[in-house]
Amino acid sequence: MSFTSRAAVHYGHERTLDITEVQVEEPGPGNVLVRLGASGVCGSDRHVLDGEWPMPSPTVMGHEGAGTVEAIGEGVQDVVVGDHVVLSWFYPCRRCTNCLSGRAYVCTGSRSEECLLPDGNTPLSRDGTRVYPYLAVGSMSEYTVVPETAAVKIPSEVPFDVASLLGCSIATGVGAVVNDAMVAPGSSAVVIGAGGVGLSIIMGLKLAGAHPIIAVDLNEQKLNAAQRLGATHTVISGDDTQHQVAEITGGGADYAFEAIGRKEAIESLPSLLVRGGTAVLVGLPPAGQSINFDGLELAESGMRILGSNYGSTVPGRDFPRLAELYLAGKLPVDDLISDRISLDEVNEAFEAMRRGERARSVIMF
Ligand SMILES: NC(=O)c1ccc[n+]([C@@H]2O[C@H](COP(=O)([O-])OP(=O)(O)OC[C@H]3O[C@@H](n4cnc5c(N)ncnc54)[C@H](O)[C@@H]3O)[C@@H](O)[C@H]2O)c1
Ligand SMILES: [Zn+2]
Ligand SMILES: [Zn+2]
């Protein structure tokens, strides 16, 4: 049995998405059918549309989603029909050594990155041809099917637009601060790029008690949003950035986060740090691009470079925690949402993102 769902499909060669119908299979063993409530429009989707990362196609885009469990497959135990869930774009296998040692975020058995369910299939098709859900989520669709390990129950009081962002930008940004960098109160931090992810890092830094928190972006609107979310200082990105950061921090920041995915910005991180500071790479550059650092300077200054993927999120632990922080008023996720749009407006949202506009667009179903 299968049924139709309206979805935003990427055919691999164009920058735009087709809004079209796909067929969705009933959930097989271990999988759940989710009716989407909302899907965020993330910079990672944009990388795929712009041909920067190889990806199977055609693909239903979207990996930052939340919705309601509509049906469960055989053996599913973690959720029941009617639960509100946040979707995870990296599902753990629960069997590899990393999963067994509590490090599900570096699971080696997941097939998320191949856009496949654990059994190697996809739940989507069109005209009899396989369609891939991006990162095994495909949230830019009215319905999707994911492994139960990728659908985490959260309190139903959290609205879907907010819940969707917990699934990528918030988990990534807050996780980069608390799980990866483990920023201590009073540490100084600078964030390059104040889009959905950078602004989430800023929220995480505020939560962690960092001070000062410096936001750097090209766009004034983004810097205003950064200030509302916790940045104590803002800097328009340019030749003077290093000097201004040094001035504000009294010599360099303890932590410098990159949240654009731009080679030059990543390479500038050491220049923003105090001796012994930590550079955190959150933005994702095009595949195959190498980043150059001065090895001698790096070693002699005792700097640390951290790669940060999904904020080392453990979805079952972290999504409910983030939801509770939101409900307690400690994570103002609503302020991250600049535009609520329909599925049909998704191409405009990507165009606005390319121009550096909008904090986060969220598709409402
Ligand atoms: N590591 C992870 O797990 C993870 C997860 C999600 C997203 N990401 C990556 O994070 C990056 C950001 O994603 P996003 O959704 O926030 O994208 P976005 O497009 O919303 O944000 C990028 C921001 O960078 C700013 N910017 C662009 N060029 C700049 C420059 N030269 N100097 C300063 N600012 C500049 C833009 O104005 C914008 O505010 C992407 O590379 C995305 O793939 C990583
Ligand atoms: Zn994302
Ligand atoms: Zn695993």
Side-chain angles (χ1 to χ4, degrees):
M1 269 267 292
S2 69
F3 58 95
T4 59
S5 173
R6 285 190 85 230
V9 180
H10 180 232
Y11 281 94
H13 42 271
E14 281 178 24
R15 268 163 65 123
T16 51
L17 296 171
D18 268 12
I19 310 303
T20 184
E21 284 190 338
V22 296
Q23 293 296 120
V24 183
E25 297 293 327
E26 293 288 334
N31 298 329
V32 303
L33 172 68
V34 175
R35 177 163 53 88
L36 273 299
S39 173
V41 177
C42 175
S44 296
D45 297 288
R46 204 253 328 132
H47 287 294
V48 175
L49 300 196
D50 291 349
E52 294 174 10
W53 302 339
M55 204 50 67
S57 66
T59 323
V60 168
M61 295 308 302
H63 61 281
E64 187 175 60
T68 310
V69 175
E70 284 277 301
I72 60 172
E74 201 188 308
V76 167
Q77 294 185 332
D78 293 355
V79 291
V80 297
V81 171
D83 278 352
H84 286 201
V85 290
V86 172
L87 304 183
S88 167
W89 55 255
F90 189 67
Y91 65 79
C93 75
R94 289 179 171 169
R95 279 189 294 274
C96 72
T97 315
N98 283 343
C99 279
L100 293 175
S101 55
R103 305 189 332 136
Y105 46 89
V106 279
C107 168
T108 54
S110 177
R111 306 196 73 175
S112 291
E113 283 160 1
E114 298 170 82
C115 307
L116 296 173
L117 292 172
D119 66 3
N121 286 316
T122 83
L124 311 174
S125 63
R126 182 171 157 75
D127 302 328
T129 308
R130 175 181 268 204
V131 172
Y132 294 85
Y134 180 46
L135 297 177
V137 172
S139 56
M140 293 182 180
S141 171
E142 291 166 326
Y143 293 90
T144 192
V145 170
V146 299
E148 67 172 321
T149 48
V152 176
K153 183 181 176 177
I154 54 148
S156 57
E157 298 92 302
V158 180
F160 284 128
D161 49 6
V162 167
S164 69
L165 300 190
L166 301 184
C168 183
S169 49
I170 297 288
T172 298
V174 175
V177 173
V178 303
N179 296 334
D180 291 325
M182 295 192 261
V183 172
S187 311
S188 56
V190 53
V191 181
I192 318 288
V197 172
L199 292 170
S200 299
I201 296 172
I202 288 167
M203 273 190 246
L205 287 168
K206 182 174 180 193
L207 205 58
H211 185 87
I213 301 171
I214 308 164
V216 181
D217 202 290
L218 293 168
N219 182 306
E220 197 118 21
Q221 273 174 301
K222 297 290 180 62
L223 293 178
N224 293 337
Q227 230 157 6
R228 284 197 301 278
L229 291 168
T232 57
H233 299 74
T234 60
V235 172
I236 291 274
S237 181
D239 298 340
D240 199 33
T241 302
Q242 182 186 346
H243 175 73
Q244 290 197 51
V245 170
E247 191 108 302
I248 297 163
T249 54
D254 296 315
Y255 294 90
F257 295 81
E258 203 273 358
I260 313 167
R262 207 168 158 266
K263 178 179 165 70
E264 295 77 9
I266 298 170
E267 288 174 346
S268 78
L269 294 179
S271 72
L272 306 176
L273 290 171
V274 70
R275 278 180 80 94
T278 303
V280 190
L281 276 53
V282 183
L284 303 170
Q289 188 165 64
S290 47
I291 303 294
N292 296 312
F293 292 116
D294 181 330
L296 179 65
E297 180 198 309
L298 208 71
E300 284 190 337
S301 62
M303 280 178 196
R304 295 188 302 154
I305 299 180
L306 294 180
S308 179
N309 190 41
Y310 214 164
S312 299
T313 292
V314 179
R317 176 194 69 188
D318 293 338
F319 291 173
R321 240 183 223 179
L322 294 169
E324 291 300 339
L325 285 169
Y326 167 76
L327 291 173
K330 292 180 187 295
L331 264 184
V333 184
D334 298 281
D335 293 343
L336 189 58
I337 303 169
S338 52
D339 298 82
R340 291 176 181 77
I341 62 170
S342 71
L343 185 63
D344 297 282
E345 294 168 307
V346 68
N347 286 312
E348 286 157 59
F350 281 114
E351 275 309 319
M353 176 182 270
R354 291 184 184 102
R355 290 193 299 269
E357 297 164 9
R358 298 192 183 183
R360 206 45 142 203
S361 305
V362 178
I363 300 165
M364 304 300 297
F365 291 93

